[in-house]
């Protein structure tokens, strides 16, 4: 929620609380086993439901925003690790162990950090496949025997973080829509309440 939305919701909450203190207007007594709401009371109940929905959707929206920020930071770290701790190492050893191959193929070239995630993941997989083809030379040059698996594992971790963030962004959009719709319902209930109270 932004500041404007928070202020709007706070206003609706104040109206909600004010109506709760006026059973003479609403016909609703807190804690009573049965109530017969007046027309104002019926609108008050609609406002209660809308405010509760807005509070829940707003909390979900804020929680998802924090999750998205965390996943974004994690993705940035994993991207750096994939390039610096895996791809750069493979490319460096490859230049020493199989220089002729490196000159002839893109597979052992390290992509820029600014490359799109899909491009980076494809480059990592190409490097892993090329590494398997020349595994004996690269291991002899100093890489661990399971470097293709390590490379793929780092790429998979980045892919998971990016996919999770994408899902959270979609979920936040849904929560934002629900929040907005709840505020619209609040506004309609308050507009109707204003008319009913003025007429009374």
């Amino acid at each position: 929620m932004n500041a404007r939305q928070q202020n709007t919701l706070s206003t609706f909450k104040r109206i909600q609380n004010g109506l709760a203190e006026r059973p003479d207007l609403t016909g609703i007594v807190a804690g009573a086993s049965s109530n017969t709401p007046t027309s104002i009371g019926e609108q008050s109940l609609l406002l209660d439901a809308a405010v509760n929905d807005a509070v829940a959707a707003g909390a979900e929206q804020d929680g998802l925003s924090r999750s998205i920020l965390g996943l974004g930071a994690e993705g940035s770290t994993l991207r750096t690790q994939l390039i610096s701790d895996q791809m750069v190492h493979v490319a460096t050893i490859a230049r020493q162990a199989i220089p002729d191959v490196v000159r002839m193929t893109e597979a052992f070239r390290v992509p820029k950090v600014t490359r799109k995630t899909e491009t980076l993941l494809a480059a990592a997989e190409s490097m892993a496949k090329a590494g398997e083809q020349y595994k004996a030379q690269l291991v002899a040059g100093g890489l661990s025997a399971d470097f293709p698996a390590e490379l793929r594992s780092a790429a998979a971790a980045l892919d998971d973080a990016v996919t999770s963030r994408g899902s959270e962004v979609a979920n936040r959009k849904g929560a934002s829509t629900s929040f907005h719709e709840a505020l619209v319902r609040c506004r309609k209930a308050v507009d109707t309440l204003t008319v009913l109270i003025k007429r009374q």
Side-chain angles (χ1 to χ4, degrees), residues 6-127:
Q6 288 176 337
N7 291 336
T8 300
L9 183 55
S10 294
T11 299
F12 291 141
K13 284 181 177 180
R14 285 195 296 272
I15 296 171
Q16 179 189 34
N17 293 334
L19 288 167
E21 297 172 357
R22 295 294 306 273
D24 57 309
L25 286 178
T26 63
I28 301 171
V29 179
S33 57
S34 63
N35 288 296
T36 304
T38 63
S39 55
I40 292 176
E42 290 174 353
Q43 290 301 316
S44 177
L45 291 173
L46 292 176
L47 177 61
D48 287 345
V51 167
N52 291 339
D53 288 347
V55 169
E60 181 182 8
Q61 181 181 347
D62 290 345
L64 288 168
S65 292
R66 288 191 292 273
S67 176
I68 289 166
L69 287 174
L71 287 168
E74 180 185 1
S76 179
T77 298
L78 291 171
R79 172 185 291 271
T80 300
Q81 289 176 346
L82 172 60
I83 295 173
S84 300
D85 298 344
Q86 298 295 333
M87 300 182 78
V88 167
H89 293 179
V90 174
T92 301
I93 296 300
R95 282 196 300 271
Q96 304 302 319
I98 46 173
D100 293 339
V101 174
V102 171
R103 281 194 291 270
M104 293 186 297
T105 180
E106 285 283 335
F108 290 112
R109 294 189 184 133
V110 180
K112 295 181 180 178
V113 179
T114 55
R115 288 285 182 91
K116 290 183 177 180
T117 300
E118 295 80 5
T119 303
L120 178 59
L121 294 175
E125 178 58 26
S126 295
M127 184 175 283

Side-chain angles (χ1 to χ4, degrees), residues 112-177:
K112 295 181 180 178
V113 179
T114 55
R115 288 285 182 91
K116 290 183 177 180
T117 300
E118 295 80 5
T119 303
L120 178 59
L121 294 175
E125 178 58 26
S126 295
M127 184 175 283
K129 287 182 178 178
E132 288 173 334
Q133 185 176 356
Y134 298 96
K135 186 174 180 179
Q137 296 97 309
L138 295 174
V139 170
L143 291 177
S144 63
D146 56 351
F147 77 87
E150 293 172 354
L151 179 55
R152 288 190 172 107
S153 178
L158 173 60
D159 190 26
D160 288 345
V162 170
T163 299
S164 296
R165 185 178 184 279
S167 297
E168 295 291 71
V169 168
N171 291 337
R172 184 178 62 180
K173 184 177 180 180
S176 297
T177 299

